[in-house]
Amino acid sequence: MTRIIADISVSLDGFVTGPDPGPDNGLGTGGEALHRWAFSADPADRRVLREGTARSGAVVLGRRLFDVVDGPKGWDDTTGYGAGEVGRPAFVVVTSSTPESVRTAGLDWTFVTTGLHDAVAAARERAAAASSDSGTDLDVILMGGGSTIGSALEAGLVDALTLHLAPVLLGAGTPLFPGEAPRTPVQRSVIPTSTATHLTYDLFR
């Protein structure tokens, strides 16, 4: 069964970027510390990253995050989804307009201009097809940014939430929970490592 899983790194004070994020500074000032775990040599961090990317049948992201990862300082042959750990799932971008060109043209991009619900539905179809092809249940991963995941949580679109809690205080930036999300989390796993605490919750109304 395909689930919708929001998966994102967050600071101890609840920010998914540092201050002043932008296309040339995607994680904001100091925000690189949020993803230190993804490049860690800690075996537990590597396992979390490997398992998370392996279950990705399709990935949803917002336009601002797309502009970062597709920008000149974005993904390349050594740094991409899952820090190059496994595979290349389909990517679905929520956007008001389709970009004129795509630098990372080797990836499978779909641009949805009719809203988050339709983007998640399109990603679910892609993940279901990938599951059928592989013979393994694969999920839709909401990778961000923070406003996209926040909107999905508020809309009740998310089945599970995986947080990579980084031991850093950013003080400002993009908050993961800017409003009240009408869901009840049930903790399913806690994996502490040398660089983060990986938390997984099932979400229920």
Side-chain angles (χ1 to χ4, degrees), residues 31-114:
E32 294 81 5
L34 294 171
H35 288 175
R36 197 167 287 146
W37 71 271
F39 302 94
S40 164
D42 188 308
D45 284 324
R46 302 310 305 171
R47 187 180 75 253
V48 167
L49 185 66
R50 183 172 59 252
E51 292 176 353
T53 51
R55 72 168 184 255
S56 303
V59 177
V60 176
L61 61 158
R63 178 58 184 267
R64 279 180 289 185
L65 181 54
F66 167 78
D67 287 341
V68 170
V69 302
D70 194 56
K73 297 183 179 180
W75 289 349
D76 57 26
D77 290 339
T78 60
T79 303
Y81 181 70
E85 183 65 37
V86 296
R88 291 190 174 188
F91 294 93
V92 178
V93 180
V94 189
T95 181
S96 59
S97 61
T98 301
E100 295 182 1
S101 62
V102 176
R103 181 182 64 84
T104 51
L107 299 178
D108 182 355
W109 296 105
T110 297
F111 298 93
V112 175
T113 59
T114 52

Side-chain angles (χ1 to χ4, degrees), residues 7 13-14 22 25 43 51 54 87 93 98 100 110 116 120-121 129 131 152 180:
D7 187 315
D13 48 353
N25 187 30
E51 292 176 353
V93 180
T98 301
E100 295 182 1
T110 297
L116 180 59
V120 170
S131 297
E180 182 177 349

